Amino acid sequence: MLIAGNWKMNTAAGEARDLARAVASSVRDMETVDVAVCPPFVHLVEVSAELRGSHVRLGAQNMHSANAGAFTGEVSARMLKSVGCHYVIIGHSERRQYFGETDIGVNVKVRQALDHGLLPIVCVGELLEERQAGREKEVVSEQVRGALAGMDAIQPGSLVVAYEPVWAIGTGETATPATAQDMHRFVRSLLREVQGADSALILYGGSMKPGNARALLQQPDIDGGLIGGASLRADTFAAIVAAAAEEA
Ligand code: PEP
């Protein structure tokens, strides 16, 4: 099980430090669960220092696809690795929606992350209107195939996919455990087809909270959660990690 917190564009320096310290302390007895926090870039170094000695790993929320160069304002995989990142979120729906990220761009970033020893958390998920039109599997299939197109088999344990229905992100609306499980089973079979092996953890994301985490994490094809809002407080985040520990 992996529970990863995506802090998005929240927390100023002191807040990030306090949150990291509180998370590390709240989950210290839950070592059967892999835990990660993904703070904004500017806090990575400080949060990394706060996490030293704990089993909570560091992740970034995005990265650029090039090695280095004239890309003002961007951050490379090498930079992330150098400050202690283990994970990097790629293709979050907010990146797709507000910053024009495409499956082709996601594919290049996944390759770059893997080349630098970062573990990509690749986000996929359909919009509400796509689900209403019955196209959710078609959309997710296109995103998963696009993200991994042309890649050799990825070493088992080197890839994470997060299924995040866009209509459930930050809305308080969660996919039912059965709906999420149905998509997770589909994604797992897709990954087997595309990669030829069971190579990835599949996380659920979309308004996961202490009250609904257990039922979601009990599903056979849900291997953890990507948590937005509920990761901004150590107590709610730790409660989700505790729910995962019950299932681990
Ligand atoms: C996310 O943005 O990855 C997410 C799952 O957000 P929330 O938990 O707030 O829905």
Side-chain angles (χ1 to χ4, degrees):
M1 284 269 174
L2 166 64
I3 302 294
N6 173 11
W7 295 0
K8 309 194 185 186
M9 197 174 72
N10 294 295
T11 66
E15 294 158 359
R17 207 183 315 121
D18 292 349
L19 180 56
R21 192 177 305 150
V23 167
S25 139
S26 320
V27 305
R28 76 177 167 268
D29 297 329
M30 307 176 195
E31 291 196 347
T32 52
V33 181
D34 289 334
V35 182
V37 293
C38 304
F41 289 138
V42 290
H43 303 320
L44 286 170
V45 171
E46 247 188 323
V47 168
S48 172
E50 289 299 332
L51 299 180
R52 213 160 285 142
S54 92
H55 78 294
V56 180
R57 286 180 163 141
L58 189 66
Q61 299 174 17
N62 181 34
M63 53 171 255
H64 194 270
S65 55
N67 272 326
F71 298 101
T72 302
E74 291 293 326
V75 172
S76 71
R78 181 163 170 263
M79 293 173 190
L80 296 181
K81 195 67 190 171
S82 74
V83 297
C85 283
H86 184 82
Y87 297 100
V88 58
I89 298 172
I90 295 181
H92 190 279
S93 65
E94 287 151 16
R95 302 284 327 161
R96 294 177 190 259
Q97 197 175 347
Y98 305 129
F99 302 97
E101 294 211 357
T102 63
D103 292 334
I104 293 171
V106 167
N107 183 291
V108 183
K109 288 186 180 188
V110 170
R111 289 166 190 264
Q112 182 75 353
L114 290 170
D115 282 351
H116 286 80
L118 289 165
L119 220 155
I121 301 176
V122 179
C123 299
V124 298
E126 79 284 0
L127 303 170
L128 181 60
E129 48 275 29
E130 291 165 339
R131 178 163 282 270
Q132 284 169 338
R135 295 185 51 234
E136 66 275 13
K137 287 195 173 128
E138 185 191 324
V139 168
V140 168
S141 165
E142 206 169 294
Q143 291 171 335
V144 171
R145 288 177 194 281
L148 302 177
M151 268 179 229
D152 292 339
I154 294 170
Q155 193 117 331
S158 302
L159 175 73
V160 178
V161 173
Y163 168 58
E164 301 204 299
V166 178
W167 45 270
I169 295 181
T171 58
E173 184 114 3
T174 317
T176 63
T179 301
Q181 164 57 23
D182 180 53
M183 185 61 91
H184 278 237
R185 192 192 312 114
F186 174 71
V187 171
R188 195 171 309 279
S189 68
L190 250 181
L191 287 170
R192 266 194 213 118
E193 182 197 319
V194 173
Q195 279 281 305
D198 220 346
S199 54
L201 289 181
I202 308 172
L203 310 185
Y204 170 79
S207 299
M208 195 188 272
K209 300 182 192 70
N212 59 27
R214 186 97 193 266
L216 287 159
L217 295 170
Q218 273 169 347
Q219 302 304 310
D221 289 299
I222 299 186
D223 304 320
L226 182 55
I227 319 299
S231 72
L232 291 173
R233 279 180 41 183
D235 59 347
T236 49
F237 187 64
I240 296 173
V241 177
E246 300 274 330
E247 302 307 317

